[in-house]
Amino acid sequence: MAEPTLETETLKLEMRGSAAIVTLARPKALNALTVDMRLGLSAHLWSFARDPQVYAVVMLSESPRAFSAGSDVREVIGHARTDLAAGRKTFADEYALNWQCECFSKPTVPLINGMVMGGGVGISQYGTHRVAGENYSFAMPETAIGLFPDIGAAHVLARLPGHVGQYLGLTGRSIGRADAYALGLVTHCINSEHFDAIIADLADTWPVDPALDNRHRDCGPGNLAPYRALIERCFSAGRVEEIVARLAAVTGEQQAWAQGVVADLTKRSPLALKITHRHIREAAALDLRQTLQQDYRIAAHILAANGDFYEGVRAAIVDKDGAPKWQPSRLEDVTDAMLDRYFVTLGDGELVLPTRENMQEARA
């Protein structure tokens, strides 16, 4: 008998033995996640949680270039311009899905080859296992479009060693799988030629750990290794201006690298940089649920401000002129009072996520 298969235009679902396989199938858009894709994934995760025949969930991409390039921010902006509440709901639904992924009680195994960014990180980072293929690339590039690393990423970034999380969150730079493994962002490094064999093992209800451990290969120390001490020294600063000043003062053989980082930072939204820096620092004392709720608070204020996020999307995605006009245009002009407004409570409009215990009860 043929295994049951369910397909939509952008999200393909298949049951193979005891494995539920979710394939992101929007390759022309590098699997940028739409509202419908997120709602579909959420509905199926609830179904998988209740189905006794599902042992594990596998996520993978139909695109050779990307697992997912993030959320479809053009769609978010489109909703927010016509109906601010609808724009806010796109963020609320996304963060609820991130929390659902974290609370999902069965093994989840994203097989990630190609780039994974933003919203793509949000549906893969909270899996029990995270497999990096040979072309894996991780980035949270939101400051380049006037946003901040959301989807709970601040919780993850705040816990990376040596202030690497601040480096990744502020610069938006990408790292490969060797660095990601060294930092704990992925659990295994396995070339994509083995993905089918992994799926076959899980379909036969093989224990996940040996199925992955036996195929994992050491990828070395990573490209960031020579700069880890420098990153820690510079990105431990209490203000973004001081981070830039410390980088600018670097001399010797690491000067060119430090100057390149400064050049990247000067292209980012100054407001987004300061929001990101504060959010990551505060997230060190928050759990993931609290971080996602704070994500929503900040995102809601950003949508209402009609400022750098809209301009960043225009410059990068709509007009593609690569010349955003940030307001304010300089770091020193982003005051603490200005920054505080993005962290103020929304009152009755806050996102309230169920506790982990309530999520577990809801799946029953």
Side-chain angles (χ1 to χ4, degrees):
M1 179 184 297
E3 297 287 1
T5 300
L6 175 62
E7 295 190 4
T8 64
E9 184 178 351
T10 56
L11 199 66
K12 297 181 179 179
L13 298 131
E14 175 188 359
M15 278 301 302
R16 194 179 305 175
S18 59
I21 304 163
V22 179
T23 303
L24 305 178
R26 199 184 176 208
K28 290 184 179 179
L30 299 179
N31 294 329
L33 299 171
T34 64
V35 168
D36 287 343
M37 291 172 74
R38 288 193 296 268
L39 291 177
L41 179 56
S42 176
H44 286 287
L45 284 176
W46 284 117
S47 176
F48 297 153
R50 298 183 178 108
D51 188 342
Q53 294 187 23
V54 174
Y55 162 62
V57 176
V58 177
M59 294 187 191
L60 68 162
S61 166
E62 200 173 71
S63 168
R65 295 177 55 197
F67 178 81
S68 172
S71 297
D72 191 331
V73 290
R74 185 198 292 260
E75 181 185 55
V76 175
I77 291 292
H79 284 302
R81 284 200 184 281
T82 57
D83 183 350
L84 185 59
R88 288 171 59 158
K89 188 175 187 302
T90 62
F91 281 120
D93 289 345
E94 179 171 23
Y95 305 154
L97 173 60
N98 303 147
W99 182 234
Q100 183 181 0
C101 290
E102 164 67 17
C103 296
F104 189 72
S105 58
K106 297 181 180 182
T108 51
V109 187
L111 302 176
I112 309 168
N113 203 29
M115 69 179 74
V116 58
M117 301 192 297
V121 175
I123 63 169
S124 59
Q125 189 60 41
Y126 309 119
T128 57
H129 303 76
R130 299 172 297 282
V131 177
E134 66 276 13
N135 296 319
Y136 173 98
S137 174
F138 169 98
M140 293 298 297
E142 286 77 9
T143 57
I145 56 169
L147 198 58
F148 67 101
D150 58 344
I151 55 86
H155 174 80
V156 177
L157 297 174
R159 287 158 177 78
L160 297 185
H163 298 277
V164 173
Q166 282 287 3
Y167 163 78
L168 293 174
L170 292 172
T171 66
R173 285 187 164 192
S174 64
I175 57 173
R177 65 175 179 175
D179 284 307
Y181 181 73
L183 293 168
L185 292 170
V186 299
T187 59
H188 296 83
C189 298
I190 303 173
N191 285 358
S192 59
E193 64 192 72
H194 300 294
F195 285 2
D196 285 344
I198 292 171
I199 293 172
D201 283 353
L202 298 182
D204 287 338
T205 326
W206 279 46
V208 179
D209 287 328
L212 300 180
D213 292 347
N214 293 338
R215 296 180 173 98
H216 168 76
R217 294 295 179 267
D218 181 23
C219 294
N223 294 329
L224 280 185
Y227 306 105
R228 290 283 293 273
L230 176 61
I231 289 171
E232 182 165 12
R233 186 167 77 249
C234 295
F235 284 85
S236 60
R239 296 183 66 84
V240 181
E241 294 93 330
E242 180 59 24
I243 292 174
V244 173
R246 291 181 188 183
L247 288 164
V250 173
T251 59
E253 61 183 16
Q254 294 185 325
Q255 182 179 30
W257 186 87
Q259 289 177 344
V261 176
V262 171
D264 284 352
L265 291 173
T266 58
K267 297 175 185 175
R268 307 309 189 231
S269 158
L271 177 60
L273 288 175
K274 288 205 170 182
I275 288 173
T276 296
H277 183 257
R278 174 169 165 177
H279 187 35
I280 292 174
R281 288 172 68 88
E282 291 188 357
L286 304 177
D287 61 25
L288 179 60
R289 176 172 171 264
Q290 293 168 327
T291 302
L292 287 164
Q293 292 174 155
Q294 175 116 304
D295 283 344
Y296 179 75
R297 183 179 305 142
I298 299 169
H301 286 305
I302 285 176
L303 284 181
N306 195 18
D308 278 4
F309 179 40
Y310 294 81
E311 173 62 9
V313 172
R314 179 207 65 76
I317 298 173
V318 179
D319 297 337
K320 299 182 179 179
D321 59 22
K325 295 178 174 58
W326 305 126
Q327 296 295 330
S329 61
R330 304 187 309 161
L331 278 170
E332 53 267 36
D333 293 334
V334 181
T335 66
D336 289 343
M338 186 184 302
L339 189 61
D340 288 343
R341 291 200 290 269
Y342 292 87
F343 292 81
V344 172
T345 178
L346 298 168
D348 292 341
E350 291 278 283
L351 174 65
V352 179
L353 296 171
T355 65
R356 187 182 299 272
E357 292 75 18
N358 286 341
M359 289 288 284
Q360 296 296 326
E361 291 172 1
R363 74 177 180 84

